[in-house]
Short mmCIF file of all heavy atoms in Angstrom, two decimals:
data_model
loop_
_atom_site.label_atom_id
_atom_site.label_comp_id
_atom_site.label_asym_id
_atom_site.label_seq_id
_atom_site.Cartn_x
_atom_site.Cartn_y
_atom_site.Cartn_z
N LEU A 1334 -9.33 5.91 -0.67
CA LEU A 1334 -10.20 6.85 0.04
C LEU A 1334 -9.54 8.22 -0.07
O LEU A 1334 -8.39 8.38 0.34
CB LEU A 1334 -10.33 6.44 1.51
CG LEU A 1334 -10.64 4.98 1.79
CD1 LEU A 1334 -10.56 4.66 3.29
CD2 LEU A 1334 -12.02 4.61 1.24
N GLY A 1335 -10.27 9.19 -0.64
CA GLY A 1335 -9.66 10.51 -0.88
C GLY A 1335 -8.94 10.49 -2.24
O GLY A 1335 -7.88 11.08 -2.39
N ALA A 1336 -9.57 9.80 -3.22
CA ALA A 1336 -8.92 9.58 -4.52
C ALA A 1336 -8.72 10.89 -5.28
O ALA A 1336 -7.80 10.96 -6.13
CB ALA A 1336 -9.76 8.60 -5.33
N THR A 1337 -9.54 11.88 -5.04
CA THR A 1337 -9.47 13.10 -5.83
C THR A 1337 -8.43 14.11 -5.30
O THR A 1337 -8.18 15.13 -5.91
CB THR A 1337 -10.84 13.81 -5.87
OG1 THR A 1337 -11.31 13.89 -4.51
CG2 THR A 1337 -11.84 13.02 -6.69
N GLY A 1338 -7.82 13.79 -4.14
CA GLY A 1338 -6.87 14.71 -3.54
C GLY A 1338 -5.44 14.48 -4.06
O GLY A 1338 -5.21 13.67 -4.97
N SER A 1339 -4.52 15.19 -3.45
CA SER A 1339 -3.14 15.15 -3.90
C SER A 1339 -2.54 13.73 -3.72
O SER A 1339 -1.96 13.16 -4.66
CB SER A 1339 -2.37 16.20 -3.07
OG SER A 1339 -1.01 15.98 -3.13
N ILE A 1340 -2.71 13.13 -2.56
CA ILE A 1340 -2.20 11.75 -2.35
C ILE A 1340 -2.97 10.78 -3.21
O ILE A 1340 -2.40 9.87 -3.84
CB ILE A 1340 -2.33 11.36 -0.86
CG1 ILE A 1340 -1.42 12.20 0.02
CG2 ILE A 1340 -2.06 9.86 -0.66
CD1 ILE A 1340 0.04 11.86 -0.09
N GLY A 1341 -4.28 10.95 -3.28
CA GLY A 1341 -5.12 10.05 -4.08
C GLY A 1341 -4.70 10.06 -5.54
O GLY A 1341 -4.56 9.02 -6.18
N THR A 1361 -13.13 7.11 -3.50
CA THR A 1361 -14.01 8.08 -2.87
C THR A 1361 -13.45 9.50 -3.01
O THR A 1361 -12.23 9.68 -3.15
CB THR A 1361 -14.18 7.80 -1.35
OG1 THR A 1361 -13.07 8.30 -0.62
CG2 THR A 1361 -14.39 6.33 -1.05
N GLY A 1362 -14.34 10.46 -2.96
CA GLY A 1362 -13.96 11.86 -3.02
C GLY A 1362 -15.01 12.66 -2.26
O GLY A 1362 -15.81 12.07 -1.49
N ALA A 1363 -15.06 13.95 -2.48
CA ALA A 1363 -16.09 14.75 -1.82
C ALA A 1363 -16.66 15.75 -2.83
O ALA A 1363 -17.70 15.47 -3.42
CB ALA A 1363 -15.50 15.46 -0.59
N SER A 1364 -15.95 16.86 -3.07
CA SER A 1364 -16.55 17.90 -3.94
C SER A 1364 -16.19 17.76 -5.41
O SER A 1364 -16.92 18.25 -6.27
CB SER A 1364 -16.04 19.28 -3.44
OG SER A 1364 -14.62 19.31 -3.49
N ASN A 1365 -15.09 17.08 -5.72
CA ASN A 1365 -14.58 17.06 -7.10
C ASN A 1365 -15.20 15.88 -7.87
O ASN A 1365 -14.54 14.85 -8.12
CB ASN A 1365 -13.05 16.99 -7.08
CG ASN A 1365 -12.45 17.28 -8.45
OD1 ASN A 1365 -13.17 17.24 -9.47
ND2 ASN A 1365 -11.16 17.51 -8.50
N ILE A 1366 -16.45 16.06 -8.26
CA ILE A 1366 -17.20 14.96 -8.89
C ILE A 1366 -16.64 14.61 -10.27
O ILE A 1366 -16.56 13.44 -10.63
CB ILE A 1366 -18.71 15.37 -9.00
CG1 ILE A 1366 -19.27 15.60 -7.61
CG2 ILE A 1366 -19.50 14.35 -9.80
CD1 ILE A 1366 -19.24 14.40 -6.70
N ALA A 1384 -18.45 11.92 -0.45
CA ALA A 1384 -18.86 12.10 0.94
C ALA A 1384 -20.01 13.08 1.04
O ALA A 1384 -20.73 13.11 2.04
CB ALA A 1384 -17.68 12.60 1.74
N VAL A 1410 -18.96 6.10 2.46
CA VAL A 1410 -17.49 6.11 2.37
C VAL A 1410 -16.94 5.01 3.28
O VAL A 1410 -16.10 4.20 2.88
CB VAL A 1410 -16.90 7.49 2.75
CG1 VAL A 1410 -15.38 7.42 2.85
CG2 VAL A 1410 -17.32 8.55 1.74
N SER A 1423 -5.64 5.32 2.66
CA SER A 1423 -6.41 6.25 3.49
C SER A 1423 -5.87 7.65 3.26
O SER A 1423 -4.87 8.04 3.86
CB SER A 1423 -6.25 5.84 4.97
OG SER A 1423 -6.72 6.86 5.81
N ALA A 1424 -6.51 8.41 2.36
CA ALA A 1424 -6.01 9.73 1.97
C ALA A 1424 -7.07 10.80 2.01
O ALA A 1424 -7.01 11.77 1.26
CB ALA A 1424 -5.32 9.65 0.61
N ILE A 1425 -8.07 10.58 2.88
CA ILE A 1425 -9.05 11.66 3.11
C ILE A 1425 -8.36 12.66 4.00
O ILE A 1425 -7.53 12.30 4.86
CB ILE A 1425 -10.30 11.05 3.81
CG1 ILE A 1425 -11.08 10.18 2.81
CG2 ILE A 1425 -11.20 12.15 4.39
CD1 ILE A 1425 -12.19 9.36 3.41
N VAL A 1426 -8.66 13.94 3.82
CA VAL A 1426 -8.05 14.93 4.70
C VAL A 1426 -8.92 15.13 5.94
O VAL A 1426 -10.14 15.12 5.86
CB VAL A 1426 -7.83 16.28 3.93
CG1 VAL A 1426 -9.14 16.95 3.56
CG2 VAL A 1426 -6.94 17.22 4.71
N GLY A 1427 -8.27 15.24 7.09
CA GLY A 1427 -8.99 15.57 8.33
C GLY A 1427 -9.53 14.36 9.07
O GLY A 1427 -9.35 13.20 8.66
N ALA A 1429 -12.31 13.24 9.23
CA ALA A 1429 -13.27 12.43 8.44
C ALA A 1429 -12.62 11.15 7.94
O ALA A 1429 -13.34 10.19 7.59
CB ALA A 1429 -13.79 13.25 7.25
N ALA A 1447 -2.07 7.63 4.88
CA ALA A 1447 -1.61 9.01 4.67
C ALA A 1447 -2.31 9.92 5.67
O ALA A 1447 -1.74 10.90 6.13
CB ALA A 1447 -1.89 9.46 3.25
N ASN A 1448 -3.57 9.59 5.97
CA ASN A 1448 -4.38 10.45 6.84
C ASN A 1448 -3.80 10.48 8.25
O ASN A 1448 -3.99 9.57 9.06
CB ASN A 1448 -5.83 9.90 6.89
CG ASN A 1448 -6.71 10.64 7.89
OD1 ASN A 1448 -6.76 10.29 9.07
ND2 ASN A 1448 -7.37 11.66 7.44
N LYS A 1449 -3.01 11.55 8.51
CA LYS A 1449 -2.27 11.57 9.78
C LYS A 1449 -3.21 11.80 10.98
O LYS A 1449 -2.87 11.45 12.11
CB LYS A 1449 -1.16 12.62 9.74
CG LYS A 1449 -1.59 14.00 9.41
CD LYS A 1449 -0.37 14.89 9.16
CE LYS A 1449 0.23 14.66 7.80
NZ LYS A 1449 1.52 15.21 7.54
N GLU A 1450 -4.39 12.38 10.69
CA GLU A 1450 -5.31 12.67 11.78
C GLU A 1450 -5.74 11.40 12.50
O GLU A 1450 -6.01 11.42 13.72
CB GLU A 1450 -6.54 13.41 11.21
CG GLU A 1450 -6.24 14.79 10.62
CD GLU A 1450 -5.70 14.78 9.18
OE1 GLU A 1450 -5.51 13.68 8.61
OE2 GLU A 1450 -5.46 15.88 8.64
N VAL A 1473 2.37 6.33 5.16
CA VAL A 1473 2.58 6.97 3.85
C VAL A 1473 3.15 8.39 4.02
O VAL A 1473 3.78 8.92 3.10
CB VAL A 1473 1.28 6.98 3.01
CG1 VAL A 1473 1.42 7.82 1.77
CG2 VAL A 1473 0.92 5.54 2.63
N ASP A 1474 2.92 9.00 5.16
CA ASP A 1474 3.58 10.29 5.40
C ASP A 1474 5.07 10.06 5.11
O ASP A 1474 5.63 9.03 5.54
CB ASP A 1474 3.41 10.66 6.89
CG ASP A 1474 2.84 12.05 7.03
OD1 ASP A 1474 3.00 12.85 6.10
OD2 ASP A 1474 2.25 12.33 8.08
N SER A 1475 5.71 10.97 4.39
CA SER A 1475 7.09 10.68 3.95
C SER A 1475 8.02 10.44 5.14
O SER A 1475 8.91 9.59 5.09
CB SER A 1475 7.62 11.80 3.06
OG SER A 1475 7.55 13.00 3.74
N GLU A 1476 7.80 11.19 6.23
CA GLU A 1476 8.68 11.04 7.40
C GLU A 1476 8.51 9.66 8.02
O GLU A 1476 9.48 9.01 8.41
CB GLU A 1476 8.35 12.11 8.45
CG GLU A 1476 8.65 13.54 8.02
CD GLU A 1476 7.66 14.11 7.02
OE1 GLU A 1476 6.63 13.41 6.71
OE2 GLU A 1476 7.88 15.22 6.53
N TRP A 1526 7.26 20.97 -1.67
CA TRP A 1526 6.27 19.92 -1.91
C TRP A 1526 5.04 20.50 -2.62
O TRP A 1526 4.61 21.63 -2.32
CB TRP A 1526 5.80 19.29 -0.61
CG TRP A 1526 6.84 18.49 0.13
CD1 TRP A 1526 7.68 18.94 1.11
CD2 TRP A 1526 7.12 17.08 -0.02
NE1 TRP A 1526 8.46 17.92 1.57
CE2 TRP A 1526 8.14 16.77 0.91
CE3 TRP A 1526 6.60 16.07 -0.84
CZ2 TRP A 1526 8.66 15.48 1.03
CZ3 TRP A 1526 7.11 14.79 -0.69
CH2 TRP A 1526 8.13 14.50 0.22
N ASP A 1527 4.45 19.67 -3.46
CA ASP A 1527 3.17 20.05 -4.11
C ASP A 1527 2.09 19.22 -3.43
O ASP A 1527 1.95 18.03 -3.65
CB ASP A 1527 3.28 19.69 -5.61
CG ASP A 1527 2.01 20.04 -6.35
OD1 ASP A 1527 1.18 20.77 -5.78
OD2 ASP A 1527 1.83 19.56 -7.47
N MET A 1528 1.29 19.86 -2.53
CA MET A 1528 0.35 19.12 -1.69
C MET A 1528 -0.99 19.83 -1.68
O MET A 1528 -1.14 20.92 -2.22
CB MET A 1528 0.88 19.02 -0.26
CG MET A 1528 2.29 18.52 -0.13
SD MET A 1528 2.82 18.30 1.59
CE MET A 1528 3.07 20.00 2.11
N GLY A 1529 -1.97 19.22 -1.00
CA GLY A 1529 -3.26 19.87 -0.83
C GLY A 1529 -3.11 21.17 -0.03
O GLY A 1529 -2.11 21.36 0.68
N GLN A 1530 -4.12 22.08 -0.16
CA GLN A 1530 -3.97 23.39 0.47
C GLN A 1530 -3.86 23.31 1.99
O GLN A 1530 -3.04 23.99 2.62
CB GLN A 1530 -5.19 24.27 0.11
CG GLN A 1530 -5.02 25.69 0.64
CD GLN A 1530 -6.31 26.51 0.56
OE1 GLN A 1530 -7.40 26.02 0.81
NE2 GLN A 1530 -6.16 27.78 0.19
N ARG A 1531 -4.65 22.43 2.62
CA ARG A 1531 -4.66 22.42 4.08
C ARG A 1531 -3.30 21.99 4.66
O ARG A 1531 -2.79 22.62 5.56
CB ARG A 1531 -5.78 21.50 4.60
CG ARG A 1531 -7.20 22.00 4.21
CD ARG A 1531 -8.28 21.12 4.78
NE ARG A 1531 -8.48 21.29 6.21
CZ ARG A 1531 -9.27 22.19 6.76
NH1 ARG A 1531 -9.93 23.03 5.99
NH2 ARG A 1531 -9.39 22.26 8.07
N ILE A 1532 -2.74 20.94 4.11
CA ILE A 1532 -1.44 20.47 4.64
C ILE A 1532 -0.34 21.48 4.30
O ILE A 1532 0.62 21.62 5.05
CB ILE A 1532 -1.13 19.05 4.14
CG1 ILE A 1532 0.15 18.50 4.78
CG2 ILE A 1532 -1.02 18.94 2.65
CD1 ILE A 1532 0.43 17.03 4.47
N ASN A 1541 1.66 20.83 10.78
CA ASN A 1541 1.85 19.56 10.10
C ASN A 1541 2.95 18.75 10.82
O ASN A 1541 2.78 17.56 11.10
CB ASN A 1541 2.23 19.80 8.64
CG ASN A 1541 2.43 18.51 7.88
OD1 ASN A 1541 1.59 17.60 8.00
ND2 ASN A 1541 3.51 18.39 7.16
N GLU A 1545 2.90 15.24 13.02
CA GLU A 1545 3.81 14.12 12.71
C GLU A 1545 4.59 13.66 13.93
O GLU A 1545 4.92 12.49 14.05
CB GLU A 1545 4.78 14.53 11.58
CG GLU A 1545 4.07 14.64 10.25
CD GLU A 1545 4.94 15.22 9.16
OE1 GLU A 1545 6.14 15.44 9.38
OE2 GLU A 1545 4.39 15.47 8.06
N MET A 1590 5.78 12.39 -3.27
CA MET A 1590 5.03 11.46 -2.44
C MET A 1590 4.87 10.09 -3.10
O MET A 1590 4.49 9.12 -2.43
CB MET A 1590 3.64 12.03 -2.09
CG MET A 1590 3.69 13.11 -1.02
SD MET A 1590 4.58 12.62 0.47
CE MET A 1590 3.58 11.26 1.09
N1 NAP B 1329 -0.35 15.81 0.13
C1 NAP B 1329 0.70 15.29 0.69
O1 NAP B 1329 1.81 15.35 0.13
C2 NAP B 1329 0.59 14.56 2.01
C3 NAP B 1329 1.73 14.04 2.59
C4 NAP B 1329 1.63 13.31 3.76
C5 NAP B 1329 0.39 13.16 4.39
N2 NAP B 1329 -0.71 13.71 3.82
C6 NAP B 1329 -2.00 13.55 4.49
O2 NAP B 1329 -2.86 12.84 3.61
C7 NAP B 1329 -4.20 13.29 3.76
C8 NAP B 1329 -4.69 13.83 2.41
O3 NAP B 1329 -3.89 14.93 2.07
P1 NAP B 1329 -4.00 15.64 0.64
O4 NAP B 1329 -2.95 16.68 0.60
O5 NAP B 1329 -4.06 14.60 -0.41
O6 NAP B 1329 -5.41 16.37 0.78
P2 NAP B 1329 -6.34 16.97 -0.38
O7 NAP B 1329 -5.53 17.17 -1.62
O8 NAP B 1329 -7.03 18.12 0.22
O9 NAP B 1329 -7.38 15.78 -0.66
C9 NAP B 1329 -8.27 15.37 0.34
C10 NAP B 1329 -9.18 14.28 -0.14
O10 NAP B 1329 -10.20 14.06 0.86
C11 NAP B 1329 -11.49 14.29 0.27
N3 NAP B 1329 -12.34 14.87 1.30
C12 NAP B 1329 -12.39 16.15 1.76
N4 NAP B 1329 -13.26 16.26 2.75
C13 NAP B 1329 -13.80 15.03 2.93
C14 NAP B 1329 -14.78 14.52 3.84
N5 NAP B 1329 -15.41 15.29 4.75
N6 NAP B 1329 -15.11 13.19 3.77
C15 NAP B 1329 -14.50 12.39 2.84
N7 NAP B 1329 -13.58 12.83 1.96
C16 NAP B 1329 -13.22 14.15 2.03
C17 NAP B 1329 -11.24 15.22 -0.88
O11 NAP B 1329 -12.29 15.15 -1.83
P3 NAP B 1329 -12.55 16.39 -2.91
O12 NAP B 1329 -11.20 16.84 -3.37
O13 NAP B 1329 -13.32 15.69 -4.00
O14 NAP B 1329 -13.33 17.43 -2.22
C18 NAP B 1329 -9.94 14.61 -1.43
O15 NAP B 1329 -10.20 13.43 -2.13
C19 NAP B 1329 -4.16 14.35 4.86
O16 NAP B 1329 -4.42 13.75 6.09
C20 NAP B 1329 -2.72 14.83 4.83
O17 NAP B 1329 -2.28 15.36 6.06
C21 NAP B 1329 -0.64 14.39 2.64
#
Side-chain angles (χ1 to χ4, degrees):
L1334 312 173
T1337 49
S1339 163
I1340 293 286
T1361 81
S1364 59
N1365 193 345
I1366 298 300
V1410 172
S1423 166
I1425 290 171
V1426 66
N1448 174 272
K1449 57 190 77 193
E1450 295 82 358
V1473 171
D1474 232 337
S1475 57
E1476 295 74 5
W1526 293 92
D1527 180 14
M1528 308 185 286
Q1530 185 192 40
R1531 296 182 74 87
I1532 186 173
N1541 181 46
E1545 289 172 6
M1590 284 309 295

